[in-house]
Amino acid sequence: MTEEKKEASSTTGRAAKLARPNVLSLQPYRCARDDYSSGILLDANENALGPASLPTNSLDPYDNGMELERYPCPYQLTLKRLLCDHRNAQVGQTADNGGIEPKNVFVGVGSDEAIDLLIRIFCTPGNTSGGGDAIMITPPTYGMYKVCANVNDVGIQTVPLTPDFDLQIPEMLQAVTPATKLIFICSPGNPTAKSIPLSDVRLIASSVNAIVIVDEAYVDFSSVPTATSLVNEFDNVVVLQTLSKAFGMAGIRCGFAIGPADVIQLMNNVKAPYNVNKLTSDAAANALKNTATLEENIRVLLEERALMEKQLIALDFVEKVYPSDANFLLFRVKQKANELYKTIADRGIVSRFRGNELHCNECIRVTIGTAAENSKFLEKLEDVYKELTA
């Protein structure tokens, strides 16, 4: 596992120019598994007698095949290789032909851990005292970028999307300053459901001295291919992905950052030693080994999305249904969207009010569920709207 071991940074590329000096000089924590992972292990103060319990399905018959008394692999090499094979195949690449390799992959607790780590690595705090670095976001967008920046006392530069949810690239480039270290592009967007063309990502990445982060939580539902193909084309593009959406595994909290090897090395240096547990790793690996279920679920959800879009458009009180590259639809009603959302939720069917977001006045976001769930939502939506506007 030497290829993935944490090491003091010898970074000389873009990451070295942008990362905080204290991160570059960091002597990473060395855990017990950095040196040995087999044999009689008496080095990590684990409990050799075994775990006090196991997951419910492993209790009878008792199966501790994962050896939960032992710390997990801190490098998740098997999982990284599986992800690389899966994403490379989607874009017609291999590791020998421009594709991604394990050295390009960070595995974390959802993609939220990666967002926080990237801000900590590249952005010097100091916003509240009038200094420090900044991130750039393009609202309406995923809220955790702003939360993580505020937690880390980092500035936030905002360049809104157009009303049609496109990037304003000239305005973005004009807004970049020497303090701008990270530019977050959510594609497909949340709550917009709209994908950003790879040509836009290329243009921005080639025009700025900052890390361009493409958040692809919903990419498997999109007609626009993954930006992982850009990782070895640009030294400043990082792609975030997750198993929470198309893979249907939100409960295991597993996400990835895919980027230049020097950026990923810094992330591995800074992360907690055993950030991904064995149960998560095992479930994630099984999903990436068996993608037939993934592909079938995506097919069904896309069919249901098209059907729900058609049915929403047919409702006379729905003013607009936005095109979607995600597993949800954003739609605008004529009036009382917040009351509509709240009343439906109180009656047991929960969507999400997005009317407080830029360009999303009177908008509701609804996740595509099962056929039965979607039908119940549409029925309740129509009934409650009639009640509220009678």
Side-chain angles (χ1 to χ4, degrees), residues 38-60:
S38 61
I40 297 176
L41 300 174
L42 303 176
D43 58 343
N45 301 333
E46 299 155 327
N47 187 339
L49 301 183
S53 188
L54 293 172
T56 301
N57 292 340
S58 299
L59 286 172
D60 188 14

Side-chain angles (χ1 to χ4, degrees), residues 65-112:
M66 283 188 279
E67 297 185 312
L68 295 187
E69 72 275 17
R70 301 297 180 188
Y71 285 112
C73 172
Y75 309 109
Q76 300 295 329
L77 289 178
T78 297
L79 196 51
K80 291 177 180 181
R81 291 191 182 104
L82 288 168
L83 180 75
C84 290
D85 291 344
H86 176 61
R87 293 307 185 192
N88 284 338
Q90 289 183 314
V91 295
Q93 294 181 326
T94 65
D96 298 325
N97 184 31
I100 56 173
E101 304 175 61
K103 67 181 181 180
N104 298 119
V105 180
F106 166 85
V107 186
V109 182
S111 53
D112 291 338

Side-chain angles (χ1 to χ4, degrees), residues 246-384:
F247 282 87
M249 306 183 81
I252 71 169
R253 305 306 300 128
C254 184
F256 308 95
I258 304 159
D262 55 355
V263 174
I264 300 304
Q265 184 65 62
L266 291 177
M267 297 181 75
N268 285 329
N269 288 354
V270 173
K271 78 174 183 69
Y274 307 108
N275 61 325
V276 177
N277 68 73
K278 285 187 174 183
L279 302 176
T280 289
S281 182
D282 183 67
N286 287 339
L288 286 165
K289 289 175 185 174
N290 304 286
T291 56
T293 299
L294 165 73
E295 292 166 1
E296 174 61 13
N297 287 347
I298 291 172
R299 184 191 67 79
V300 171
L301 288 169
L302 291 180
E303 287 182 357
E304 287 296 322
R305 186 182 76 189
L307 179 59
M308 180 176 272
E309 180 182 15
K310 182 178 179 181
Q311 292 171 317
L312 283 169
I313 290 172
L315 298 174
D316 61 1
F317 60 88
V318 173
E319 291 191 331
K320 181 167 186 174
V321 181
Y322 286 88
S324 177
D325 267 332
N327 67 333
F328 61 86
L329 289 168
L330 182 73
F331 65 96
R332 175 177 287 114
V333 296
K334 290 182 178 179
Q335 58 179 314
K336 300 187 177 182
N338 196 22
E339 293 175 69
L340 182 60
Y341 141 76
K342 186 68 169 60
T343 304
I344 295 173
D346 289 342
R347 297 181 187 181
I349 302 176
V350 185
S351 57
R352 198 158 188 187
F353 174 68
R354 297 283 77 183
N356 53 357
E357 300 277 352
L358 182 66
H359 305 319
C360 297
N361 184 50
E362 299 292 355
C363 280
I364 293 172
R365 190 192 73 190
V366 60
T367 305
I368 305 303
T370 65
E373 290 172 335
N374 298 336
S375 294
K376 289 178 181 177
F377 171 78
L378 289 164
E379 180 182 352
K380 194 69 68 176
L381 177 73
E382 191 167 11
D383 290 346
V384 172

Side-chain angles (χ1 to χ4, degrees), residues 106 111-112 114-115 118 145 184 187 213-219 228 238-242 255-258 267:
F106 166 85
S111 53
D112 291 338
I115 293 169
L118 287 164
Y145 313 141
F184 285 94
S187 178
I213 302 166
V214 186
D215 190 344
E216 291 188 337
Y218 302 95
V219 70
T228 56
V238 174
V239 179
L240 304 182
Q241 295 184 348
T242 179
F256 308 95
I258 304 159
M267 297 181 75

Side-chain angles (χ1 to χ4, degrees), residues 195-210:
S195 293
I196 301 300
L198 293 188
S199 57
D200 285 5
V201 179
R202 280 193 173 94
L203 177 57
I204 294 169
S206 62
S207 303
V208 299
N209 185 33

